[in-house]
Amino acid sequence: MIIAVDGPAASGKGTIARALAAHYHLPHLDTGLLYRAVGVSTARAGLNPDDAAEAAASINLDDALLADPELRSEAAGALASRVSKHPAVRAALLSYQQDFARQPGGAVLDGRDIGTVIAPKAEAKLFVTAAPEVRAKRRHLEDSHADYAAILADIRARDARDSSRSAAPLRQAEDADLLDTSDLTIAAAVQRAIALVEARIRR
Ligand code: CDP
C-alpha cells in the first residue's frame, strides 16, 4: 500500500506520515529532505538557488548529507523552497521518490506533490493542513529563540511560493482526504489519519 501525505510547512504531515509508517509497518520517506539537500549543497557550492541549471548541478543525495542536522534548519527549508520551483530539479528527484514508493509492500511518502505527481495511484492520500498562525506557533515552540512574527512571515511566504509555482504546485489532489490539524493534538491527528486511511482501504 502506498500512502501519500502532502501539506504545507508545519502542518503536522511529517509526524503523521511517520506515525502511519509505524502503524502499517511501512518504510517512510520525507521528500522535503531531498529538496533541503539540494538547497544546502547549492548554497555550500556558492551557487545560486534561484538559477535552475546551478541548482540542478548541485544534486547530491548522499546518506551523509541527508543525515546532516543542518538540513533541519529554517534556512535550509527556505533554500529548499527556492530550488524546488525548478522543473529540472524536480525531474532529477522523481525516480528516487518513485523507486521508494514502488518497493514491495509499499511505503509512506510525505511532501507537497506525492498525491498529485509522485504517486497519483496511491491507495490513500491525505492533505494535512492547519491555519498559518497555528503552524507558526508550532515552529516557535520548537525554537523559542526565533521571532514569532518572522516565522509567520516565512510560513506565509513559503506557502505562497509553493502554491503559486508552475511545476508541481502545492495543492490537494482531487481524491485526497483533507485533515485540518489546527485544533487537534498530535495523538488526535494521528488517530484521525489512521481512520481516514482505514476508510480508504475498505472502499
Ligand atoms: O515541513 P517543511 O515545509 O518545513 O519542510 P519540508 O517538507 O522539508 O519542505 C521544504 C521545501 O521543499 C518546501 O517548502 C517545498 O518548497 C519543497 N518541497 C517540494 O517542493 N516538494 C516536496 N515533495 C517536498 C518539499
PDB file of all heavy atoms in Angstrom, residues 15-39:
ATOM      1  N   THR A  15       4.975  14.272  11.065  1.00  0.00           N
ATOM      2  CA  THR A  15       4.633  13.484  12.257  1.00  0.00           C
ATOM      3  C   THR A  15       3.578  12.441  11.910  1.00  0.00           C
ATOM      4  O   THR A  15       3.678  11.277  12.326  1.00  0.00           O
ATOM      5  CB  THR A  15       4.081  14.433  13.356  1.00  0.00           C
ATOM      6  OG1 THR A  15       5.056  15.437  13.580  1.00  0.00           O
ATOM      7  CG2 THR A  15       3.779  13.703  14.638  1.00  0.00           C
ATOM      8  N   ILE A  16       2.587  12.857  11.140  1.00  0.00           N
ATOM      9  CA  ILE A  16       1.505  11.943  10.752  1.00  0.00           C
ATOM     10  C   ILE A  16       2.052  10.846   9.834  1.00  0.00           C
ATOM     11  O   ILE A  16       1.730   9.663  10.007  1.00  0.00           O
ATOM     12  CB  ILE A  16       0.350  12.743  10.102  1.00  0.00           C
ATOM     13  CG1 ILE A  16      -0.381  13.509  11.207  1.00  0.00           C
ATOM     14  CG2 ILE A  16      -0.602  11.836   9.321  1.00  0.00           C
ATOM     15  CD1 ILE A  16      -1.406  14.502  10.725  1.00  0.00           C
ATOM     16  N   ALA A  17       2.915  11.215   8.895  1.00  0.00           N
ATOM     17  CA  ALA A  17       3.481  10.210   7.976  1.00  0.00           C
ATOM     18  C   ALA A  17       4.311   9.186   8.753  1.00  0.00           C
ATOM     19  O   ALA A  17       4.208   7.981   8.507  1.00  0.00           O
ATOM     20  CB  ALA A  17       4.329  10.903   6.906  1.00  0.00           C
ATOM     21  N   ARG A  18       5.126   9.655   9.703  1.00  0.00           N
ATOM     22  CA  ARG A  18       5.947   8.720  10.499  1.00  0.00           C
ATOM     23  C   ARG A  18       5.060   7.785  11.314  1.00  0.00           C
ATOM     24  O   ARG A  18       5.315   6.590  11.425  1.00  0.00           O
ATOM     25  CB  ARG A  18       6.896   9.486  11.435  1.00  0.00           C
ATOM     26  CG  ARG A  18       8.197   9.905  10.774  1.00  0.00           C
ATOM     27  CD  ARG A  18       9.201  10.436  11.794  1.00  0.00           C
ATOM     28  NE  ARG A  18       8.686  11.580  12.538  1.00  0.00           N
ATOM     29  CZ  ARG A  18       8.708  12.833  12.090  1.00  0.00           C
ATOM     30  NH1 ARG A  18       9.238  13.115  10.922  1.00  0.00           N
ATOM     31  NH2 ARG A  18       8.206  13.815  12.815  1.00  0.00           N
ATOM     32  N   ALA A  19       3.977   8.334  11.891  1.00  0.00           N
ATOM     33  CA  ALA A  19       3.079   7.509  12.709  1.00  0.00           C
ATOM     34  C   ALA A  19       2.347   6.479  11.846  1.00  0.00           C
ATOM     35  O   ALA A  19       2.166   5.323  12.263  1.00  0.00           O
ATOM     36  CB  ALA A  19       2.077   8.406  13.438  1.00  0.00           C
ATOM     37  N   LEU A  20       1.948   6.877  10.627  1.00  0.00           N
ATOM     38  CA  LEU A  20       1.279   5.925   9.726  1.00  0.00           C
ATOM     39  C   LEU A  20       2.250   4.821   9.321  1.00  0.00           C
ATOM     40  O   LEU A  20       1.879   3.642   9.241  1.00  0.00           O
ATOM     41  CB  LEU A  20       0.758   6.645   8.474  1.00  0.00           C
ATOM     42  CG  LEU A  20      -0.472   7.532   8.669  1.00  0.00           C
ATOM     43  CD1 LEU A  20      -0.738   8.361   7.412  1.00  0.00           C
ATOM     44  CD2 LEU A  20      -1.706   6.696   9.020  1.00  0.00           C
ATOM     45  N   ALA A  21       3.511   5.190   9.060  1.00  0.00           N
ATOM     46  CA  ALA A  21       4.523   4.198   8.678  1.00  0.00           C
ATOM     47  C   ALA A  21       4.713   3.186   9.807  1.00  0.00           C
ATOM     48  O   ALA A  21       4.777   1.973   9.564  1.00  0.00           O
ATOM     49  CB  ALA A  21       5.838   4.895   8.342  1.00  0.00           C
ATOM     50  N   ALA A  22       4.760   3.673  11.033  1.00  0.00           N
ATOM     51  CA  ALA A  22       4.943   2.764  12.181  1.00  0.00           C
ATOM     52  C   ALA A  22       3.707   1.872  12.328  1.00  0.00           C
ATOM     53  O   ALA A  22       3.814   0.662  12.527  1.00  0.00           O
ATOM     54  CB  ALA A  22       5.184   3.575  13.452  1.00  0.00           C
ATOM     55  N   HIS A  23       2.535   2.468  12.181  1.00  0.00           N
ATOM     56  CA  HIS A  23       1.283   1.724  12.360  1.00  0.00           C
ATOM     57  C   HIS A  23       1.142   0.606  11.327  1.00  0.00           C
ATOM     58  O   HIS A  23       0.725  -0.497  11.652  1.00  0.00           O
ATOM     59  CB  HIS A  23       0.097   2.691  12.254  1.00  0.00           C
ATOM     60  CG  HIS A  23      -1.239   2.053  12.485  1.00  0.00           C
ATOM     61  ND1 HIS A  23      -1.721   1.784  13.754  1.00  0.00           N
ATOM     62  CD2 HIS A  23      -2.178   1.607  11.614  1.00  0.00           C
ATOM     63  CE1 HIS A  23      -2.906   1.205  13.636  1.00  0.00           C
ATOM     64  NE2 HIS A  23      -3.208   1.075  12.355  1.00  0.00           N
ATOM     65  N   TYR A  24       1.476   0.907  10.064  1.00  0.00           N
ATOM     66  CA  TYR A  24       1.311  -0.095   8.989  1.00  0.00           C
ATOM     67  C   TYR A  24       2.611  -0.842   8.671  1.00  0.00           C
ATOM     68  O   TYR A  24       2.660  -1.594   7.694  1.00  0.00           O
ATOM     69  CB  TYR A  24       0.758   0.583   7.720  1.00  0.00           C
ATOM     70  CG  TYR A  24      -0.680   1.043   7.891  1.00  0.00           C
ATOM     71  CD1 TYR A  24      -1.002   2.390   8.033  1.00  0.00           C
ATOM     72  CD2 TYR A  24      -1.723   0.115   7.947  1.00  0.00           C
ATOM     73  CE1 TYR A  24      -2.323   2.810   8.211  1.00  0.00           C
ATOM     74  CE2 TYR A  24      -3.043   0.528   8.115  1.00  0.00           C
ATOM     75  CZ  TYR A  24      -3.336   1.872   8.248  1.00  0.00           C
ATOM     76  OH  TYR A  24      -4.647   2.282   8.423  1.00  0.00           O
ATOM     77  N   HIS A  25       3.647  -0.622   9.461  1.00  0.00           N
ATOM     78  CA  HIS A  25       4.961  -1.265   9.241  1.00  0.00           C
ATOM     79  C   HIS A  25       5.454  -1.034   7.820  1.00  0.00           C
ATOM     80  O   HIS A  25       5.825  -1.968   7.111  1.00  0.00           O
ATOM     81  CB  HIS A  25       4.903  -2.775   9.550  1.00  0.00           C
ATOM     82  CG  HIS A  25       4.388  -3.053  10.927  1.00  0.00           C
ATOM     83  ND1 HIS A  25       5.134  -2.777  12.058  1.00  0.00           N
ATOM     84  CD2 HIS A  25       3.202  -3.530  11.367  1.00  0.00           C
ATOM     85  CE1 HIS A  25       4.424  -3.072  13.130  1.00  0.00           C
ATOM     86  NE2 HIS A  25       3.236  -3.529  12.738  1.00  0.00           N
ATOM     87  N   LEU A  26       5.430   0.229   7.401  1.00  0.00           N
ATOM     88  CA  LEU A  26       5.890   0.585   6.054  1.00  0.00           C
ATOM     89  C   LEU A  26       7.103   1.512   6.166  1.00  0.00           C
ATOM     90  O   LEU A  26       7.209   2.288   7.122  1.00  0.00           O
ATOM     91  CB  LEU A  26       4.777   1.333   5.290  1.00  0.00           C
ATOM     92  CG  LEU A  26       3.533   0.525   4.921  1.00  0.00           C
ATOM     93  CD1 LEU A  26       2.442   1.450   4.368  1.00  0.00           C
ATOM     94  CD2 LEU A  26       3.885  -0.548   3.893  1.00  0.00           C
ATOM     95  N   PRO A  27       8.013   1.468   5.175  1.00  0.00           N
ATOM     96  CA  PRO A  27       9.107   2.435   5.172  1.00  0.00           C
ATOM     97  C   PRO A  27       8.575   3.833   4.864  1.00  0.00           C
ATOM     98  O   PRO A  27       7.552   3.980   4.183  1.00  0.00           O
ATOM     99  CB  PRO A  27      10.035   1.935   4.062  1.00  0.00           C
ATOM    100  CG  PRO A  27       9.193   1.078   3.204  1.00  0.00           C
ATOM    101  CD  PRO A  27       8.084   0.520   4.050  1.00  0.00           C
ATOM    102  N   HIS A  28       9.281   4.854   5.355  1.00  0.00           N
ATOM    103  CA  HIS A  28       8.817   6.233   5.207  1.00  0.00           C
ATOM    104  C   HIS A  28       9.893   7.098   4.556  1.00  0.00           C
ATOM    105  O   HIS A  28      11.065   6.998   4.926  1.00  0.00           O
ATOM    106  CB  HIS A  28       8.457   6.788   6.600  1.00  0.00           C
ATOM    107  CG  HIS A  28       8.323   8.276   6.636  1.00  0.00           C
ATOM    108  ND1 HIS A  28       9.042   9.084   7.491  1.00  0.00           N
ATOM    109  CD2 HIS A  28       7.543   9.114   5.900  1.00  0.00           C
ATOM    110  CE1 HIS A  28       8.710  10.355   7.273  1.00  0.00           C
ATOM    111  NE2 HIS A  28       7.811  10.396   6.321  1.00  0.00           N
ATOM    112  N   LEU A  29       9.481   7.937   3.616  1.00  0.00           N
ATOM    113  CA  LEU A  29      10.409   8.911   3.013  1.00  0.00           C
ATOM    114  C   LEU A  29       9.869  10.319   3.207  1.00  0.00           C
ATOM    115  O   LEU A  29       8.754  10.628   2.779  1.00  0.00           O
ATOM    116  CB  LEU A  29      10.587   8.620   1.513  1.00  0.00           C
ATOM    117  CG  LEU A  29      11.534   9.583   0.768  1.00  0.00           C
ATOM    118  CD1 LEU A  29      12.973   9.456   1.276  1.00  0.00           C
ATOM    119  CD2 LEU A  29      11.491   9.333  -0.743  1.00  0.00           C
ATOM    120  N   ASP A  30      10.706  11.156   3.843  1.00  0.00           N
ATOM    121  CA  ASP A  30      10.421  12.581   3.977  1.00  0.00           C
ATOM    122  C   ASP A  30      11.026  13.245   2.738  1.00  0.00           C
ATOM    123  O   ASP A  30      12.239  13.480   2.675  1.00  0.00           O
ATOM    124  CB  ASP A  30      11.089  13.072   5.271  1.00  0.00           C
ATOM    125  CG  ASP A  30      11.160  14.590   5.378  1.00  0.00           C
ATOM    126  OD1 ASP A  30      10.616  15.293   4.511  1.00  0.00           O
ATOM    127  OD2 ASP A  30      11.781  15.074   6.349  1.00  0.00           O
ATOM    128  N   THR A  31      10.194  13.523   1.723  1.00  0.00           N
ATOM    129  CA  THR A  31      10.748  14.021   0.456  1.00  0.00           C
ATOM    130  C   THR A  31      11.262  15.455   0.567  1.00  0.00           C
ATOM    131  O   THR A  31      12.086  15.881  -0.238  1.00  0.00           O
ATOM    132  CB  THR A  31       9.715  13.939  -0.691  1.00  0.00           C
ATOM    133  OG1 THR A  31       8.620  14.821  -0.405  1.00  0.00           O
ATOM    134  CG2 THR A  31       9.199  12.523  -0.884  1.00  0.00           C
ATOM    135  N   GLY A  32      10.806  16.191   1.576  1.00  0.00           N
ATOM    136  CA  GLY A  32      11.307  17.556   1.779  1.00  0.00           C
ATOM    137  C   GLY A  32      12.812  17.549   2.008  1.00  0.00           C
ATOM    138  O   GLY A  32      13.523  18.486   1.622  1.00  0.00           O
ATOM    139  N   LEU A  33      13.290  16.470   2.633  1.00  0.00           N
ATOM    140  CA  LEU A  33      14.717  16.344   2.926  1.00  0.00           C
ATOM    141  C   LEU A  33      15.544  16.338   1.633  1.00  0.00           C
ATOM    142  O   LEU A  33      16.663  16.845   1.610  1.00  0.00           O
ATOM    143  CB  LEU A  33      14.913  15.027   3.689  1.00  0.00           C
ATOM    144  CG  LEU A  33      16.048  14.946   4.708  1.00  0.00           C
ATOM    145  CD1 LEU A  33      16.002  16.092   5.687  1.00  0.00           C
ATOM    146  CD2 LEU A  33      15.997  13.604   5.422  1.00  0.00           C
ATOM    147  N   LEU A  34      14.989  15.780   0.567  1.00  0.00           N
ATOM    148  CA  LEU A  34      15.718  15.735  -0.709  1.00  0.00           C
ATOM    149  C   LEU A  34      15.907  17.157  -1.246  1.00  0.00           C
ATOM    150  O   LEU A  34      16.982  17.525  -1.703  1.00  0.00           O
ATOM    151  CB  LEU A  34      14.966  14.872  -1.738  1.00  0.00           C
ATOM    152  CG  LEU A  34      14.550  13.461  -1.278  1.00  0.00           C
ATOM    153  CD1 LEU A  34      13.792  12.748  -2.405  1.00  0.00           C
ATOM    154  CD2 LEU A  34      15.773  12.638  -0.863  1.00  0.00           C
ATOM    155  N   TYR A  35      14.822  17.960  -1.171  1.00  0.00           N
ATOM    156  CA  TYR A  35      14.908  19.346  -1.646  1.00  0.00           C
ATOM    157  C   TYR A  35      15.806  20.179  -0.725  1.00  0.00           C
ATOM    158  O   TYR A  35      16.525  21.072  -1.191  1.00  0.00           O
ATOM    159  CB  TYR A  35      13.505  19.960  -1.773  1.00  0.00           C
ATOM    160  CG  TYR A  35      12.724  19.300  -2.882  1.00  0.00           C
ATOM    161  CD1 TYR A  35      11.890  18.212  -2.628  1.00  0.00           C
ATOM    162  CD2 TYR A  35      12.871  19.727  -4.197  1.00  0.00           C
ATOM    163  CE1 TYR A  35      11.208  17.576  -3.647  1.00  0.00           C
ATOM    164  CE2 TYR A  35      12.191  19.097  -5.233  1.00  0.00           C
ATOM    165  CZ  TYR A  35      11.358  18.026  -4.955  1.00  0.00           C
ATOM    166  OH  TYR A  35      10.694  17.388  -5.973  1.00  0.00           O
ATOM    167  N   ARG A  36      15.765  19.868   0.569  1.00  0.00           N
ATOM    168  CA  ARG A  36      16.649  20.563   1.510  1.00  0.00           C
ATOM    169  C   ARG A  36      18.107  20.257   1.169  1.00  0.00           C
ATOM    170  O   ARG A  36      18.974  21.136   1.210  1.00  0.00           O
ATOM    171  CB  ARG A  36      16.344  20.126   2.949  1.00  0.00           C
ATOM    172  CG  ARG A  36      15.046  20.743   3.459  1.00  0.00           C
ATOM    173  CD  ARG A  36      14.583  20.105   4.763  1.00  0.00           C
ATOM    174  NE  ARG A  36      13.342  20.728   5.190  1.00  0.00           N
ATOM    175  CZ  ARG A  36      13.269  21.699   6.113  1.00  0.00           C
ATOM    176  NH1 ARG A  36      14.345  22.095   6.747  1.00  0.00           N
ATOM    177  NH2 ARG A  36      12.103  22.239   6.406  1.00  0.00           N
ATOM    178  N   ALA A  37      18.389  18.980   0.840  1.00  0.00           N
ATOM    179  CA  ALA A  37      19.760  18.587   0.499  1.00  0.00           C
ATOM    180  C   ALA A  37      20.233  19.336  -0.751  1.00  0.00           C
ATOM    181  O   ALA A  37      21.368  19.817  -0.800  1.00  0.00           O
ATOM    182  CB  ALA A  37      19.827  17.076   0.270  1.00  0.00           C
ATOM    183  N   VAL A  38      19.355  19.472  -1.739  1.00  0.00           N
ATOM    184  CA  VAL A  38      19.736  20.193  -2.960  1.00  0.00           C
ATOM    185  C   VAL A  38      19.975  21.674  -2.631  1.00  0.00           C
ATOM    186  O   VAL A  38      20.965  22.274  -3.068  1.00  0.00           O
ATOM    187  CB  VAL A  38      18.658  20.052  -4.060  1.00  0.00           C
ATOM    188  CG1 VAL A  38      19.044  20.845  -5.301  1.00  0.00           C
ATOM    189  CG2 VAL A  38      18.430  18.586  -4.416  1.00  0.00           C
ATOM    190  N   GLY A  39      19.085  22.256  -1.817  1.00  0.00           N
ATOM    191  CA  GLY A  39      19.231  23.672  -1.447  1.00  0.00           C
ATOM    192  C   GLY A  39      20.542  23.921  -0.721  1.00  0.00           C
ATOM    193  O   GLY A  39      21.283  24.860  -1.051  1.00  0.00           O
TER     194      GLY A  39
END
